[in-house]
Amino acid sequence: MNRYLATAFVIGILLFAAIACKSGDEQDKADKATQAAAEAAAKANPDNPFFHPYGTAFGMPPFDRIKTEHFLPAIEEGIRREQTEVDAIVASAKKPTFENTITALDHTGLFLSDVNAVFGTLQGAMTNKDIQALARQTAPMLAAHRDNISLNAKLFAKVKAVYDKRDKLELGREEMFLLENTYKDFVRGGALLDDAGKARLRELNQALSLESVKFGENVLAETNAFQLVIDNKADLAGLPPSVVAMAAVAAKQAGLPEGKWLFTIHVPSMTPFLTYSERRPLREKVHRAYFMKGDNDNASDNKEILKKIAALRLEKAKLLGYPSHAAFILEQNMAKTPERVNEFLLQLWEPTNAKAKEEAAALQALMDRDPKAGRAKLSSWDWWHYTEKLRQEKYALDDSALRPYFMLNNVRDGIFALCDRLYGLKFVEKPDLPRYHPDVQVFEVLEADGRHLGVLTMDFHPRASKRSGAWSGALRRAYYEKGVRVPPISTITCNFTSPTADAPALLSIDEVETFFHEFGHSLATLFSQGRYRGRTVARDSVELPSQIMEHWVLEPELLAVYAKHYKTGEPIPAELVEKLEKSSLFNQGFITEEYLAACILDMAWHTAADPASVDARQFESETMAKIGLIPEIVPRYRSTYFNHIFSGGYSAGYYAYIWSEVLDCDAYEAFKEKGIFDRATAESFRKNVLEPFGTEEIGAQYRKFRGADPKIDGLLRKRGLTISK
Ligand SMILES: [Zn+2]
């Protein structure tokens, strides 16, 4: 589990997409009309790269030629084209078949999804005032467009006609899965509502699209607004030289004069400060700024916005016949109901809370012995600091002694080596391919036999233009065009520790785990082999491909390959590895507690009876009091900056990480049984889980790989928990 993961993965919502499989004259006529319209649009936009073949290797978006003003006309054109494609399906006089309706729909909207993928990438990693304004302008346009498709009664009638005779069609497994999910998506999108219901649903979707954009913007503004400028060396007390050097670089980049150090509430700056700073009042200042984001009663306050989002979602769920937003969402997941999720979370909560209390007591005892603490009571801004001290005392393990062994590019090459041993993949750097920022690394990914599999881009360090957290996305997802695979372009975006004047980027263990994690999502994107573009992934299984990768991070056999000292090239000493292993359960109470608290908060907002009428701050504190969250721990995300659930795709789904962890811990057991680099096990994982991810029910996929349903034991062992079953 990664502590600061942001919305990690675009969940496989069914994509609607262009080549209607009509036949004969009708087909020709439609094709000609479409082509003529495309040519006219290209002529009208001679300098807009979206309207012309990119002409780049692997169809990489030509970032060097794309300007912000190119997006709006391209999005408008994309909407128009997709609507035309949908209209052609509706207008066909033929009896609806799987081919002329479901396959045809699956192919609509390619142009729009290409443009949106580029726009979404920049919105997350390279935003500015113009892009933000454009997102506010296009979000409601796109929401209306989606509604125009899912509320199109004639289109739904065709889909339903195919769906109703599905048992007689002799469809393959993948086709049946696509058909059922296409139908379900229409129903969940309001197709069965009367006209008044449809009109209200449109209004709700419009409002929701706008509020989520606003919420995310506010979090970014609040994250960038705080600066701790230190101009007095005494206030650097306790900070290791590498952290001081990083703060000096940050100050310089911010245009501050020589002799000043800058700390922010971006995680790579904040965590080392909270860990090492001896200045308790400064630690408090920094941590408060972090956990009060969006809760400062200023122009970027999110309290009213999040209540509005929760209330709009509730109204939408009720309109569609569900008692809550959580019930609406969870129907699609492995867990199925809010009751099942809450039961699962509370089952883990009890032993976790006991552990966290023990940890707090141990930290308090340490603090009591520290004359600098002045007999103060342990607070949230002390947790990192005394945990690090205790870790050093118990295991003689020090984060800054580890970092030199985790130079960013070495870690990257370690992941490449792992992918080579498991799947035979090769990664070739492509310095000439276009990218949106000079820091972005671009690699071609090749199969063992040299065939092209896809492209991977990686963007590692924080910028003011980048959303916080780490995520894997795509500039293009794989699909088939006339039987030929169109290869994907996957992206990884992180906020890892930056290089300094005298050292390259040296990662913390958390960051190394995050890197492996996001790489796992990207592998699923790269391997994807479904025949159709429409994917339906149960959200609570989405972290299986990513979290399984984390299990290799500390395997001594792999550490020997990549954990080399950045100066001497010496491999990480065995005793350091041993210490790491011994300390693997250390601080697990905290890690699990802050995470579970956020999961429970998410479920509370999305099962609340009347979220519009509550006081957001009070609602949160009452929810936390009910489960007995200890005051020394703040939920990993408080409501006002919980991007995952209020502006990303994880609403009523933040629990997905730990639910998926049951799967990944159990799946990794298969590797441990056969050998952690066993090719046959890796091949089976690729063929049964990663390639068809989202084209089949996950339980069935999993059983093909493992031969049985997953057991919870591996997860409990990993987190050091015992539950009464
Ligand atoms: Zn993830």
Side-chain angles (χ1 to χ4, degrees):
M1 185 66 46
N2 291 307
R3 200 171 303 160
Y4 293 104
L5 274 180
T7 313
F9 198 68
V10 180
I11 317 268
I13 309 151
L14 273 182
L15 296 166
F16 296 108
I19 297 156
C21 291
K22 295 177 221 103
S23 55
D25 296 348
E26 200 187 329
Q27 174 74 62
D28 286 352
K29 242 196 279 168
D31 280 356
K32 275 185 192 145
T34 308
Q35 210 179 337
E39 279 166 15
K43 233 182 228 165
N45 292 275
D47 303 321
N48 189 327
F50 292 117
F51 287 81
H52 306 272
Y54 289 164
T56 53
F58 314 118
M60 193 72 178
F63 288 108
D64 45 338
R65 289 183 273 130
I66 295 173
K67 300 201 174 81
T68 305
E69 66 258 29
H70 291 144
F71 284 110
L72 187 60
I75 289 171
E76 285 170 341
E77 170 70 7
I79 289 174
R80 197 194 57 72
R81 272 193 210 183
E82 183 166 17
Q83 191 59 56
T84 308
E85 290 155 3
V86 166
D87 290 345
I89 297 173
V90 171
S92 167
K94 297 216 158 52
K95 252 174 89 179
T97 62
F98 182 84
E99 281 296 310
N100 73 19
T101 306
I102 307 302
T103 307
L105 251 179
D106 185 66
H107 275 82
T108 59
L110 265 174
F111 185 94
L112 183 60
S113 81
D114 279 353
V115 180
N116 270 336
V118 178
F119 186 63
T121 301
L122 297 187
Q123 202 190 344
M126 199 66 195
T127 191
N128 56 42
K129 288 272 168 271
D130 293 340
I131 289 184
Q132 289 181 338
L134 197 55
R136 281 193 300 269
Q137 186 181 355
T138 56
M141 280 165 55
L142 290 163
H145 171 58
R146 280 190 295 274
D147 282 341
N148 288 340
I149 296 173
S150 52
L151 298 175
N152 182 325
K154 285 182 183 157
L155 180 63
F156 177 61
K158 293 206 165 199
V159 170
K160 187 169 183 303
V162 182
Y163 177 77
D164 285 343
K165 57 182 181 199
R166 65 192 178 285
D167 292 332
K168 297 187 197 86
L169 297 177
E170 297 184 350
L171 296 174
R173 178 191 54 69
E174 209 178 325
E175 284 71 22
M176 186 60 98
F177 191 73
L178 178 67
L179 172 57
E180 285 173 350
N181 282 298
T182 304
Y183 175 78
K184 232 192 282 172
D185 253 40
F186 272 90
V187 173
R188 291 168 59 79
L192 295 175
L193 295 176
D194 60 17
D195 287 348
K198 284 180 178 172
R200 182 62 189 146
L201 185 66
R202 283 175 185 273
E203 288 169 2
L204 294 171
N205 286 338
Q206 288 285 304
L208 273 169
S209 69
L210 271 173
E211 298 301 332
S212 321
V213 172
K214 239 189 277 170
F215 185 95
E217 275 180 16
N218 285 342
V219 175
L220 186 63
E222 290 271 279
T223 307
N224 289 331
F226 176 84
Q227 292 195 326
L228 173 71
V229 179
I230 292 182
D231 50 14
N232 157 9
K233 273 198 175 160
D235 282 340
L236 298 170
L239 302 174
S242 58
V243 174
V244 174
M246 210 162 66
V249 172
K252 202 171 162 196
Q253 281 169 351
L256 295 168
E258 195 75 13
K260 296 198 193 277
W261 296 269
L262 173 63
F263 290 92
T264 68
I265 47 175
H266 288 277
V267 171
S269 177
M270 176 184 76
T271 308
F273 190 84
L274 292 177
T275 305
Y276 295 109
S277 173
E278 303 279 357
R279 290 287 183 270
R280 189 165 190 259
L282 294 183
R283 290 203 307 266
E284 175 173 355
K285 198 171 167 190
V286 168
H287 198 227
R288 265 189 197 286
Y290 179 80
F291 70 67
M292 289 304 287
K293 282 185 308 218
D295 189 10
N296 290 310
D297 301 317
N298 57 14
S300 309
D301 195 280
N302 267 336
K303 291 194 287 290
E304 290 309 309
I305 296 179
L306 73 91
K307 278 167 53 181
K308 212 165 158 188
I309 293 174
L312 288 165
R313 284 175 176 163
L314 175 61
E315 188 187 341
K316 179 175 165 176
K318 285 191 168 161
L319 187 60
L320 292 167
Y322 300 85
S324 65
H325 176 69
F328 171 68
I329 292 292
L330 291 165
E331 176 194 60
Q332 299 273 75
N333 287 6
M334 292 179 81
K336 297 282 177 250
T337 65
E339 292 71 31
R340 180 73 194 93
V341 173
N342 284 329
E343 185 195 331
F344 175 69
L345 293 173
L346 290 175
Q347 190 183 27
L348 297 170
W349 177 261
E350 201 190 321
T352 300
N353 202 21
K355 235 172 157 223
K357 282 178 185 163
E358 277 170 31
E359 288 172 8
L363 296 179
Q364 184 69 62
L366 186 60
M367 215 169 144
D368 289 345
R369 283 191 277 128
D370 181 3
K372 282 197 252 7
R375 307 294 296 173
K377 195 177 167 323
L378 180 75
S379 294
S380 65
W381 44 88
D382 299 315
W383 197 285
W384 283 264
H385 188 67
Y386 287 97
T387 293
E388 182 62 18
K389 278 195 175 3
L390 190 62
R391 194 157 75 124
Q392 290 191 24
E393 198 177 280
K394 279 178 92 163
Y395 306 98
L397 194 64
D398 165 6
D399 171 76
S400 54
L402 284 170
R403 282 183 189 252
Y405 294 99
F406 297 104
M407 181 172 88
L408 175 66
N409 283 354
N410 285 348
V411 175
R412 180 200 65 195
D413 294 345
I415 299 177
F416 289 171
L418 174 64
C419 293
D420 186 7
R421 290 192 67 173
L422 293 176
Y423 305 111
L425 300 183
K426 300 279 182 283
F427 296 82
V428 183
E429 188 149 23
K430 293 281 168 187
D432 297 331
L433 282 182
R435 59 210 69 202
Y436 56 83
H437 188 280
D439 283 358
V440 178
Q441 302 185 3
V442 184
F443 284 83
E444 182 187 6
V445 188
L446 301 169
E447 296 272 20
D449 61 7
R451 268 178 310 137
H452 176 82
L453 180 65
V455 171
L456 175 67
T457 78
M458 292 178 284
D459 177 4
F460 291 117
H461 305 297
R463 285 188 292 273
S465 58
K466 200 193 266 187
R467 183 152 57 86
S468 57
W471 64 95
S472 162
L475 284 161
R476 187 173 64 221
R477 293 191 183 273
Y479 64 97
Y480 277 80
E481 181 84 74
K482 295 183 177 137
V484 180
R485 184 174 188 259
V486 179
I489 304 173
S490 182
T491 64
I492 291 178
T493 317
C494 312
N495 280 279
F496 291 158
T497 302
S498 299
T500 64
D502 3 85
L506 303 174
L507 304 188
S508 69
I509 284 286
D510 267 7
E511 290 174 329
V512 176
E513 280 177 0
T514 301
F515 195 178
F516 275 69
H517 177 107
E518 301 310 335
F519 213 93
H521 283 306
S522 281
L523 278 181
T525 303
L526 288 163
F527 283 143
S528 173
Q529 273 296 349
R531 273 195 290 276
Y532 304 95
R533 292 169 66 220
R535 300 284 149 80
T536 305
V537 179
R539 291 182 192 199
D540 48 9
S541 69
V542 110
E543 304 301 333
L544 166 60
S546 51
Q547 287 179 175
I548 193 167
M549 287 290 283
E550 296 178 35
H551 291 268
W552 276 277
V553 170
L554 293 181
E555 289 286 1
E557 255 185 289
L558 187 65
L559 280 171
V561 175
Y562 78 93
K564 293 186 172 144
H565 196 283
Y566 79 99
K567 272 187 184 157
T568 63
E570 292 284 324
I572 189 166
E575 43 131 19
L576 212 49
V577 178
E578 206 176 298
K579 283 178 190 169
L580 267 172
E581 276 169 359
K582 272 198 189 139
S583 67
S584 70
L585 290 179
F586 181 68
N587 205 34
Q588 273 297 334
F590 171 85
I591 292 171
T592 311
E593 175 124 331
E594 65 153 13
Y595 166 73
L596 289 176
C599 296
I600 288 163
L601 191 55
D602 169 26
M603 291 302 293
W605 278 116
H606 294 115
T607 50
D610 186 8
S613 72
V614 303
D615 174 283
R617 217 183 263 177
Q618 198 186 339
F619 179 85
E620 179 180 301
S621 60
E622 280 172 7
T623 305
M624 295 296 99
K626 227 181 278 169
I627 53 169
L629 174 70
I630 61 174
E632 298 86 351
I633 294 179
V634 180
R636 184 183 298 170
Y637 295 96
R638 289 193 53 232
S639 312
T640 49
Y641 52 94
F642 208 159
N643 260 336
H644 285 82
I645 68 165
F646 291 119
S647 83
Y650 278 76
S651 58
Y654 194 60
Y655 77 96
Y657 294 93
I658 202 153
W659 186 280
S660 297
E661 205 172 319
V662 175
L663 300 176
D664 68 69
C665 287
D666 187 72
Y668 195 66
E669 295 285 323
F671 282 94
K672 284 207 288 207
E673 287 157 16
K674 299 274 167 56
I676 60 164
F677 298 119
D678 184 58
R679 277 301 273 270
T681 308
E683 271 312 302
S684 163
F685 191 65
R686 172 176 175 169
K687 288 275 171 273
N688 292 311
V689 178
L690 298 178
E691 288 188 357
F693 208 54
T695 69
E696 187 181 0
E697 195 261 315
I698 180 70
Q701 282 189 296
Y702 193 83
R703 281 186 293 276
K704 275 190 231 167
F705 165 67
R706 193 73 171 110
D709 284 324
K711 296 189 190 68
I712 196 172
D713 309 50
L715 160 72
L716 297 177
R717 257 198 311 280
K718 184 176 160 214
R719 293 200 176 242
L721 302 175
T722 318
I723 54 170
S724 37
K725 287 185 192 175

